[in-house]
Amino acid sequence: MKKVLVIGCGGVASVAIAKICQNSAVFSEMCIASRTLSKCEAMKAKWQPTTSTQISTAKIDANSKQEVVSLMKKFQPDVLLHVGMPYHNLVLMEACVECKVHYIDTAAYEPEDTQEPIWREKYEKRCKEKGFVAYFDYADQWSYFDKFKNAGVTALLGGGFDPGVTNVFVAYAKKHYFDNIEYVDILDCNGGDHGYPFATNFNTEINLREVSSPADYYENGKWIGVPAMSIKREYDFPEIGKKDMYLLHHEEIESLTKNYPEIKRMRFYMTFGQSYLTHMKCLENVGLLNSTPVKFGEHEIIPIQFLKSLMPDPSTLGERTVGKTNIGCIFTGTKNGEKKTIYIYNVCDHQEAYKEVGSQAISYTTGVPAMISAALLATEKWKGKGVFNLEEFDPDPFMDMLNEFGLPWKVVENPVMVD
Ligand code: NDP
């Protein structure tokens, strides 16, 4: 019987917490720790009557290693599931090394202020060396490999849907369908409608930073950088229909092309409606997407955090969001010398997710795999000392648990390709 410490209590955390409660066979105890204690207590009140998992709560500042270490010394978790902000990944990894606790997150580390001089200097050097344009990558977290190895515990990076399930789809395709994978397109379609002219379906700050940043893809051993939203395609998504999608940088490309050097080209596309893009561009043009503090009267404010405070909280979108998501990967490669193409994807219905756990499908598709990742590490079905991405472990138990915990997937042969 295992103990999990959940950091954060927002949209993704609410689903991960609900799913941990559905998996009491693995998780006998859970502590929900976040910045706002009242949210943790509300979660406990909602789920405790439904589960034999014993739930406790704590107020924590994830910026403070000392606070996290002292909570872990008290609660003694087997695994820390970080579903808060990616700004805190390194502090939480340090704390896990010190307490010898397994670590999982769902987004690569990024600094809160991308103009901060020490980080900026390191980043620009890395960009030159790697031909990289994105401001978030795995380098800082991968550098913890020896610390985790020496502590005898595992850090599992990117355990949501994308990154996360998409990484496992690649491992599964390689294990069961291909001798050699050559091309991968990851397609993330949200066909849902929340009725607002502009809202984001996960953390507003992280979402807008990601989408407005320069994009890139990987081809023949190199990163190809392009301006944000400059590559657009239309795709007819199963169970959703035709949508415009745009090329973005996404962190799983970095780990997957490292772990599968045979891949010649990998791209990531996400769908956006015109209203979202127009609002984002306008807000960017007036400086509201900046993460560098500015003076406003007597106060210093961070424009993107101010903007976030005005926008709908993504965790409240569940009730009003209708439609489906379709997230998956299209593969081209060879098997027994023959060319082959397959599409592995999951379709998730926003209203079905809301009926089950009270959340929209973006939180659902992230929270379910986050719980699965935590369960596989806690039970040592996935075992390794060091820092890993999900494609480095056996995909089969993970794929089975997706079916069991609400994210069934399909494999389709000869799909329509993205040009
Ligand atoms: P939310 O904003 O809903 O939740 C973030 C939570 O972190 C909030 O509860 C917030 O507290 C808490 N938090 C913020 N700062 C601190 C702090 N200093 N100390 C303690 N807690 C803090 O975000 P989401 O749930 O939408 O997203 C969570 C993570 O999941 C993000 O990193 C996001 O990038 C990632 N994600 C990954 C996806 C994937 O497929 N891999 C897809 C979608 C999201 P408070 O409640 O007080 O604001």
Side-chain angles (χ1 to χ4, degrees):
M1 299 300 268
K2 304 296 177 184
K3 292 163 93 171
V4 55
L5 170 62
V6 177
I7 302 286
C9 195
V12 173
S14 343
V15 178
I17 289 163
K19 290 288 164 179
I20 287 166
C21 292
Q22 287 178 12
N23 196 2
S24 302
V26 168
F27 297 109
S28 54
E29 283 183 58
M30 160 170 51
C31 176
I32 309 169
S34 190
R35 179 168 60 184
T36 312
L37 185 61
S38 57
K39 290 190 187 174
C40 308
E41 285 171 348
M43 269 300 131
K44 178 179 170 181
K46 180 174 176 184
W47 294 111
Q48 188 63 88
T50 70
T51 181
S52 59
T53 303
Q54 276 308 309
I55 306 174
S56 57
T57 60
K59 179 173 164 54
I60 196 115
D61 177 4
N63 277 314
S64 161
K65 178 178 161 190
Q66 216 182 347
E67 279 189 29
V68 180
V69 166
S70 75
L71 176 60
M72 287 208 280
K73 285 196 170 148
K74 200 165 131 217
F75 180 61
Q76 300 276 315
D78 297 283
V79 49
L80 179 151
L81 175 57
H82 171 31
V83 277
M85 301 290 281
Y87 311 148
H88 307 128
N89 292 11
L90 304 184
V91 171
L92 295 171
M93 287 177 84
E94 288 281 351
C96 282
V97 167
E98 185 167 330
C99 298
K100 298 188 174 25
V101 168
H102 300 309
Y103 166 91
I104 298 157
D105 62 36
T106 62
Y109 169 71
E110 56 189 84
E112 193 160 359
D113 178 7
T114 52
Q115 297 306 322
E116 193 274 315
I118 297 174
W119 179 84
R120 191 89 212 159
E121 193 188 324
K122 257 186 6 191
Y123 159 78
E124 277 169 7
K125 183 166 171 276
R126 204 145 75 211
C127 285
K128 263 200 208 124
E129 283 165 10
K130 288 195 183 175
F132 215 68
V133 291
Y135 64 89
F136 56 101
D137 70 351
Y138 281 127
D140 288 312
Q141 291 188 264
W142 281 341
S143 73
Y144 277 75
F145 189 92
D146 286 343
K147 286 188 180 175
F148 273 83
K149 188 175 165 205
N150 295 337
V153 286
T154 314
L156 191 57
L157 308 184
F161 203 108
D162 45 338
V165 176
T166 48
N167 302 56
V168 177
F169 282 173
V170 176
Y172 187 80
K174 174 72 183 186
K175 183 171 176 184
H176 297 285
Y177 288 89
F178 292 97
D179 296 326
N180 191 45
I181 298 176
E182 293 180 346
Y183 300 99
V184 184
D185 280 325
I186 302 172
L187 310 189
D188 178 331
C189 170
N190 181 6
D193 182 6
H194 44 58
Y196 286 116
F198 187 54
T200 66
N201 41 46
F202 68 93
N203 184 281
T204 302
E205 207 175 316
I206 303 303
N207 178 286
L208 290 172
R209 283 162 61 118
E210 173 180 307
V211 177
S212 60
S213 100
D216 54 29
Y217 62 100
Y218 183 88
E219 191 163 38
N220 297 325
K222 288 197 189 109
W223 290 94
I224 318 283
V226 295
M229 300 294 145
S230 60
I231 298 185
K232 173 182 169 186
R233 297 283 184 272
E234 186 188 68
Y235 195 78
D236 194 355
F237 287 92
E239 298 185 45
I240 291 179
K242 287 186 182 164
K243 293 276 173 200
D244 288 338
M245 58 185 194
Y246 298 81
L247 186 121
L248 297 185
H249 171 80
H250 233 237
E251 58 254 54
E252 63 264 54
I253 303 181
E254 192 189 3
S255 73
L256 286 163
T257 52
K258 172 174 160 253
N259 290 319
Y260 293 86
E262 71 207 51
I263 295 175
K264 290 185 182 154
R265 188 188 66 209
M266 188 173 240
R267 304 179 295 192
F268 181 98
Y269 288 94
M270 192 177 271
T271 62
F272 297 100
Q274 197 48 53
S275 178
Y276 177 99
L277 294 178
T278 308
H279 278 81
M280 187 183 76
K281 195 72 212 161
C282 171
L283 293 164
E284 185 179 22
N285 287 342
V286 296
L288 272 166
L289 301 193
N290 289 341
S291 55
T292 306
V294 293
K295 270 283 223 194
F296 180 69
E298 290 305 298
H299 304 281
E300 216 173 50
I301 60 165
I302 296 176
I304 196 166
Q305 290 183 359
F306 172 66
L307 172 65
K308 175 178 184 262
S309 73
L310 301 176
M311 289 191 44
D313 180 344
S315 65
T316 63
L317 297 177
E319 192 171 7
R320 48 188 295 146
T321 308
V322 292
K324 294 177 181 177
T325 61
N326 177 327
I327 316 174
C329 307
I330 298 179
F331 299 92
T332 306
T334 53
K335 180 78 179 174
N336 302 325
E338 300 276 309
K339 191 169 175 217
K340 191 174 173 71
T341 60
I342 64 164
Y343 187 8
I344 310 183
Y345 63 83
N346 159 263
V347 172
C348 184
D349 186 301
H350 285 284
Q351 279 302 302
E352 291 298 316
Y354 183 70
K355 265 187 244 150
E356 187 198 325
V357 296
S359 299
Q360 34 87 354
I362 301 300
S363 302
Y364 192 89
T365 53
T366 312
V368 170
M371 179 284 286
I372 294 173
S373 302
L376 290 173
L377 276 197
T379 54
E380 301 200 340
K381 285 192 180 140
W382 279 5
K383 221 169 32 177
K385 292 173 186 162
V387 178
F388 300 90
N389 296 82
L390 278 72
E391 66 271 23
E392 295 179 77
F393 294 104
D394 180 6
D396 291 351
F398 190 101
M399 294 292 271
D400 290 345
M401 286 180 80
L402 286 176
N403 286 329
E404 187 186 344
F405 284 97
L407 292 177
W409 41 273
K410 285 186 182 156
V411 182
V412 172
E413 306 240 357
N414 301 316
V416 175
M417 304 301 290
V418 180
D419 63 23

